[in-house]
Amino acid sequence: MDFLRRILGKPAPEQTQETISITKEPVEPPRPPEPVIVAPKAEESNHQKVNTVVVAPTDVTPTVFDTVELGGTRQLPPLEAIVPKPGQHLRVGHLSDVGMVRPNNQDSMFCLVGASASHENLPELGLFVVADGMGGHHDGEKASSIAARVVGQYVINEILLPLMSNQMNDPDRPALTEVLRAAVEKANEAVTEQIPEGGTTTTMAVVLGDLAYFAHVGDSRAYLISNDGIDQITRDHSLVQRLVELDQLTREEMIDHPQKNVLYRAIGQSDNLDVDTITRRLQPRTRLLLCSDGLWNLVADDTIKETVLHEPTPQDACNKLVKLANERGGPDNITVILVQVPG
């Protein structure tokens, strides 16, 4: 862990970091005004998904996020460095599937895992990205592909290569969460310029030793799963989630709400993008799951947890989760990345 503290330039974080800081007044929250539509998309043919991005109303009374379900600030558990047994490393499974209805797959993903053995004792590193594109016809798949590629390239250049060249000790280097935020902002610039009619969600995780750093925009999700439960650590940037936070909608009602695909934050829809960042310490044998809404919209959290914990390998679990979503109709593309921490 001394190495991790040197490359981070400061002691390991004791709290998670998130870009949103809001409070709730002790009054009945007002009904939010009608959202302002940004870059409305025409209705698509061939059963294409229409994801609309809206600007969140500015005069709505904000609410406190649930720290367990929505990834709010929390105290990190006591330091417990992962010391894997010989031959133990991060185990990764991944699968992206078009589903049962769509003619094309607008999801994209990127996975990279690096390990070394030397006297320098470099930490194991993993980079994982899920992007769910939106827009008519091929705009969505192009937008998600660009986002995944740009984010991956930026993190490789700003984290992996400096790590390999012993440049991470520089005290002037930005914090890792700032690097991830900048990566998503670069992707936003690229998508805005190249695919003006498209957009995409992006949820990414960088695993460095026993710490995981997340950057997130949209409604693709990241979960931490263990025998103790399943913890959604990202917050959906969707209109229905905002209405739930305002006590205008229940979680049961949001499942079949006609505007459940309306996002108020996504890549490619605004020059000024607010990116959520989160940091978590990974306990031994924890599973990290990234997925598009094609999975979590159809497969309940408890079923996801049981599948992840009981399938023999991460790849088997990914295969089973996609199969479960398709058995429930598979109306959307489905992308899953599952990482098993050693221990």
Side-chain angles (χ1 to χ4, degrees):
M1 292 308 300
D2 288 340
F3 179 87
L4 288 180
R5 294 190 175 97
R6 290 200 305 273
I7 65 172
L8 293 174
K10 55 184 179 180
E14 290 303 320
Q15 290 188 336
T16 62
Q17 180 179 3
E18 191 169 17
T19 59
I20 298 178
S21 177
I22 56 180
T23 57
K24 182 177 182 181
E25 298 179 7
V27 296
E28 185 71 14
R31 181 173 296 276
E34 291 296 321
V36 179
I37 304 296
V38 176
K41 307 294 187 298
E43 190 71 27
E44 301 175 56
S45 59
N46 297 326
H47 305 284
Q48 292 284 323
K49 175 174 66 177
V50 178
N51 271 29
T52 306
V53 179
V54 303
V55 175
T58 58
D59 56 346
V60 175
T61 303
T63 183
V64 174
F65 301 144
D66 184 285
T67 58
V68 173
E69 295 184 350
L70 300 177
T73 300
R74 64 171 61 184
Q75 191 76 16
L76 289 174
L79 183 64
E80 181 181 354
I82 297 174
V83 183
K85 297 177 182 178
Q88 284 193 338
H89 303 283
L90 292 175
R91 302 177 66 193
V92 180
H94 52 78
L95 184 62
S96 186
D97 188 81
V98 69
M100 304 300 291
V101 175
R102 301 291 177 76
N104 65 328
N105 192 346
Q106 297 192 39
D107 288 358
S108 296
M109 69 176 182
F110 182 85
C111 297
L112 177 67
V113 177
S116 68
S118 70
H119 77 281
E120 294 178 317
N121 196 27
L122 296 177
E124 193 164 8
L125 179 141
L127 167 60
F128 312 101
V129 185
V130 168
D132 180 358
M134 55 193 184
H137 303 290
H138 295 291
D139 284 340
E141 65 185 29
K142 292 177 181 177
S144 67
S145 177
I146 291 171
R149 173 173 53 80
V150 171
V151 163
Q153 181 182 28
Y154 192 89
V155 172
I156 289 171
N157 288 336
E158 298 298 324
I159 296 179
L160 179 58
L161 294 182
L163 180 66
M164 297 300 295
S165 57
N166 287 323
Q167 297 177 5
M168 296 293 285
N169 293 328
D170 186 351
D172 294 329
R173 289 190 59 82
L176 291 184
T177 51
E178 292 302 317
V179 174
L180 268 58
R181 181 179 287 112
V184 177
E185 291 171 349
K186 288 290 185 181
N188 185 57
E189 294 173 5
V191 171
T192 301
E193 177 182 350
Q194 300 178 42
I195 314 292
E197 297 301 319
T200 182
T201 71
T202 295
T203 300
M204 64 178 299
V206 169
V207 175
L208 193 61
D210 66 348
L211 292 174
Y213 303 85
F214 300 88
H216 165 69
V217 174
D219 65 351
S220 296
R221 289 182 177 178
Y223 294 90
L224 288 180
I225 302 171
S226 68
N227 290 326
D228 295 330
I230 178 169
D231 181 11
Q232 179 188 334
I233 58 176
T234 52
R235 168 180 175 264
D236 299 337
H237 299 138
S238 64
L239 180 60
V240 292
Q241 178 60 51
R242 178 61 63 88
L243 293 176
V244 169
E245 293 160 4
L246 292 168
D247 295 328
Q248 300 294 326
L249 200 67
T250 67
R251 294 199 175 278
E252 291 73 22
E253 292 171 335
M254 71 183 290
I255 296 175
D256 297 317
H257 196 279
Q259 293 181 303
K260 67 179 181 179
N261 286 330
V262 177
L263 304 179
Y264 63 83
R265 197 189 302 177
I267 284 180
Q269 300 296 314
S270 174
D271 292 336
N272 298 316
L273 183 65
D274 190 11
V275 182
D276 289 358
T277 59
I278 307 163
T279 303
R280 290 290 178 87
R281 180 163 288 120
L282 299 174
Q283 299 299 313
R285 296 172 295 282
T286 298
R287 275 77 162 181
L288 166 62
L289 177 74
L290 272 62
C291 64
S292 61
D293 65 340
L295 177 71
W296 63 258
N297 261 332
L298 296 174
V299 183
D301 285 2
D302 287 344
T303 303
I304 292 175
K305 174 198 167 188
E306 293 303 313
T307 302
V308 165
L309 294 180
H310 289 97
E311 288 297 315
T313 70
Q315 189 60 54
D316 288 329
C318 290
N319 297 343
K320 181 64 176 296
L321 289 172
V322 169
K323 180 181 178 182
L324 289 173
N326 281 327
E327 287 175 350
R328 289 157 171 77
D332 200 354
N333 309 140
I334 312 149
T335 298
V336 187
I337 299 175
L338 180 62
V339 183
Q340 182 174 335
V341 177

